[in-house]
Amino acid sequence: MNIRFKPKVFSSLFYLVFCITSISFGQSDPTGERRVTGTFAITNATVTIAPGKTQQGATIIIKNGLIEAIGSNLRIPIDAQTIKGDSLFVYPGFIDGATSIGVLRPNDPERPANFDPSNPPDEFAGITPWRSVLDHYDIKNSQINDWRKVGFTVAQIVPEGGMLPGKSAIVTYGGKESNNILAKNTALAARFRSTGGGRGMYPGTQLGIMAKFRDLYKNAELSSQHMRLFASNSGLSRPEINKTLEAFFPVLDKSIPVLYEVSNDLELRRAVMLQKENGFRLVVAGITDMDFALDAIKSSNAQVLVSFRLPNDKTANSNTEGLSDEMKARTQKVKDAYIQILGEAGKLEAAGIPFGFTSLGGRSNEMYKNIRLMIANGLSENAALAALTINNANILGIQKFAGTLEKGKLANMVISTAPLFAEEAQIKYVVADGYVFEYEVNNKKSNNNGNGKAVDLSGIWDYTSDTPAGSSGGTMEIKRDGTSYKGTISYDNPSGSGKASSPMNNIILSGNNLSFTFNVSAGGMSLEVSVSGEITDGDFSGSMSLSEFGSFPFNAVKKPNHLNQ
Amino acid sequence: MKMIKYILSAFLILGCFVTIAQTQKGSVLIKNATVLTVTNGTLENTDVLVENGIIKRIGKNLNASNIQCIDGTGKYLMPGIIDAHSHVALDAVNEATAPITSEVKMGDVVNPYDIGIYRALAGGVTISHAMHGSANAIGGQNITLKHRYGTSNPEDLHMKDAPRTIKFALGENPTRVHGRGNGIQPRTRMGVDAVIRNGFNEAIQYKKAWADYENAQKQKGAKPVPPKYDSRLATLADVLDGKIIIHCHSYRADEIYALINTCREFGIKNIVFSHVNEGFKVAPELAEYTMGASVFADWWAYKFEVYYSTAYNAAILMENGVITSINSDSGELIRHLYHEAGKAQRYGQLDDDQTLALITINPAKQLGIADKVGSIEEGKQADLVLFDGHPLSVYAIPQMTFVDGVKYFDINEDPDDMRLKVSASEALEPIFLREHEHRCMHGVDFFFTNFGRNLFNHTH
């Protein structure tokens, strides 16, 4: 049964399931899917209750989805399943300040024959602030698993669409018995992008988007004023009910913020400009280049969600020998810009701005690597953890029940084999909404191939991938290129029969971990596929992620070297 | 009561200072230069003293302590060049989606990282009028920029004491984009005039609706219902009230004269015509009813409506008493507007002061800032350029450029790479072949795909 998110259907279904469960408790469960117990005890672990507050040898009791107790010498309930926490490290479950994982983009309405692009109806123009993201959320999206696997337990999901795509919501990444909704209509999402690639209709550029936002905001104020007058006086013309303007009302009374997705410092300043003119609560999400806008962030009191996406180091392998002085200087500037970006999170911390992380624009398999880079460039581990936990709880207004490990809070936690941001740390368990998810941990040392030799990628690899469309495969040909690698990958031609191939980009080998991307063009659009995983003795095992379609297993075997010649 | 007034006005003045004082102001003494004041002739071997961004004194043997002194011997000092029509430092140029977009503001999309600002400084340009494009009959509100290169805050570039201006456009561009492109009005020059008239008339009604509402509010016990807010019409109402100067893209004499008449009908006096290739045919009318014409020196024939043109245009206009300026409309031309002005002199035999006025005090008048910049006078803002020779010589090269007394360009301290923000994800940033072109139709290439354009066609 595949149930789409219609809240009404869901709540009645939820009710039904709940009744059946309570009545039939103790009866047999023919599906075998119901868990044996919801009570857990994690014993003798190193528990970080909140950034900077760590307790050794502590036990955590989880019951009914909540943290029942944390401490030493606790009595373990008789129905508890015990997880031995010796040598494990427990942290509060991560909160994603804003994400589009699992969010589907609603279809644009079809234009009528007499469509006037200079004055389109709101829905055509990407102005749909009345939409709830929950109506366009796919709880079964496989990427949710990827993000839970790196530690996320709660996320604010942001709608897809145009300049005002709708209202966001907060969900947990818990068990499949629940609809996992924590709160709806938590922020009014906004962005400086318009629908239809821009110029087709009004507003087509940031010029029009800024002006349109101002007009909508002002008219929402006037509309709400009119409604108040109408409610308490007779003899007035009736207010025109307008769902776009009504969607602004909770923003006007500051009960929810505007969540502005911004892509650089100039867009951040534009969002701050709108905030200063209109006085709403502002959360900016996905910001980069914040080094150029620290003054604007500080003066605006905006809450800040930082993307942990980082650019690749374009100059890492560049050889400046023999280049002209001008090219050397240019290369150095690119390198400086890269270093500056690595240090930005640390500078935000130093400026006293309590920011959170957002997965917008980022990849789950790069998160730890990137946060480690930020830490190496000035961010403290405590601030990094806070950005994943308590800061986002505060920004989302859910600090009462999430963000730290305390009695009475939701049982959300991340359990790793080493201190969280250590290179060798691996996630062993994630507890989300009281549900325990266990992950495979392998005991390999980094930088070798199990037999003490560094991994050599070069050669021909056969791979297979499994997608809902079936199993397919091809070859990867990888060659050394100085200290890095280059390669091509073949795959079933999406627009016809036979094989197509693309160059492999961003090939990064770090220890046993290999990641790369390639572009497939299908149906007139170019799709970026990103692959990452681990190499063990010439076997590659990992996953491939196709932007919004989800991620799927990807395994490859290197052909013996004599066949490569 | 009087006391309270004094205190209030003191606060207001203080408030202004606080907001304006955010940008850097410099002090400098330039000694013994040939000073081309533009409004007061040429002063040989003269010193100019700048204190805190303002020209304090002009004279001989000036001294000042603790102020940087620059030897201007053998050099020429002129007012900072002002470009009345530019699209430098903008992230977006055209909101080309509706025939009237008076609500959009170029001040929203200023990009302080544009290397074009520095290049303009290297050409002696200290102020540019960053305009909306010409896709719409009534475009957006422009922003006058001071080239304070080096900041990451776009507002630092805004010339906050400049009046508001707005872009209008006549002729082929708006009719092509909206009429032929989208099948809506305007499709002809008559349609453009109708769109503008309708806009003005709606603005009159809009203004009345708000005035009625505000009057009704003053009645005791009244509960009037507020009208809808519409920044598009509110802006046009400000145009009608003379609070905003129109800068209108135009080429043909008939459309220029028609808009003059429309403006007269609506009581609008603050209008400047831009490009104006056929302006010489309606020079007396331009002189009598407008704030002037901003033209090209010798640029034409890039589309049908621009064939009837002459390099004598600037001179004819000026001799007929039209406030005339020469603009760039281009990130390339902006680097040598002094050459462009020189062309007008070469063809029309204007004298040096007239010629320099084309790129200094006259564009300042057209932007409503002539009381602050555009000439070297005591009390004016210290936007200055030092040339190694007379700026109307083809051999002259700008040496130093000052804005508010702060030196932003010095040919002797001019590193190869002046970018403020470098992309970390591009080892080599792409170079756009079309960057040097006129940018009036920036962003609306889409509408021109069927009109035989190629990569190097002009699009303004």
Side-chain angles (χ1 to χ4, degrees), chain B residues 27-38:
Chain B
S27 299
V28 66
L29 175 61
I30 298 161
K31 299 277 289 179
N32 202 33
T34 303
V35 179
L36 307 166
T37 66
V38 179

Side-chain angles (χ1 to χ4, degrees), chain A residues 118 199 201-202 204-205 207-208 210 214-215 218-219 225-226 229 236 265 269-270 289 292 314 333 337, chain B residues 91 94-95 97 103 105 108 113 152-154 213 223-225 227 229 231 417 419 421-422 425 443:
Chain A
S118 72
R199 293 167 184 127
M201 68 180 98
Y202 185 87
T205 63
L207 282 166
M210 296 277 288
R214 289 188 181 105
D215 269 33
K218 186 78 186 161
N219 279 315
Q225 185 188 337
H226 189 171
L229 280 172
L236 293 185
D265 56 315
R269 286 179 187 277
R270 284 166 199 154
D289 305 334
F292 293 90
K314 293 282 179 188
K333 275 216 168 184
Chain B
D91 268 354
N94 263 304
E95 176 61 51
T97 51
E103 69 280 12
K105 297 177 181 171
D108 286 343
Y113 306 123
S152 51
N153 183 357
Y213 167 69
K223 306 268 184 221
V225 167
Y229 175 71
S231 55
D417 190 346
R419 289 173 299 168
K421 189 175 168 190
V422 176
S425 48

Side-chain angles (χ1 to χ4, degrees), chain A residues 293-353:
Chain A
L294 277 178
D295 59 319
I297 298 173
K298 270 191 187 167
S299 72
S300 69
N301 292 321
Q303 290 175 303
V304 183
L305 297 173
V306 175
S307 170
F308 47 67
R309 176 173 207 163
L310 293 175
N312 293 319
D313 184 0
K314 293 282 179 188
T315 60
N317 301 314
S318 63
N319 183 3
T320 50
E321 285 293 309
L323 289 181
S324 67
D325 286 349
E326 189 188 346
M327 277 312 295
K328 274 185 192 162
R330 276 183 165 266
T331 310
Q332 186 58 41
K333 275 216 168 184
V334 174
K335 190 164 204 71
D336 294 346
Y338 174 71
I339 299 289
Q340 184 177 13
I341 287 172
L342 299 186
E344 281 179 337
K347 283 193 183 158
L348 268 186
E349 181 193 358
I353 297 161

Side-chain angles (χ1 to χ4, degrees), chain B residues 119 330-332 429-439 445 453-459:
Chain B
R119 290 176 182 155
S330 150
E332 192 282 322
E429 284 179 25
I431 289 170
F432 300 101
L433 284 176
R434 298 187 50 212
E435 196 169 48
H436 67 283
E437 290 192 30
H438 291 198
R439 297 187 73 207
D445 297 347
R453 286 180 67 255
N454 64 45
L455 190 65
F456 295 100
N457 266 0
H458 296 305
T459 54

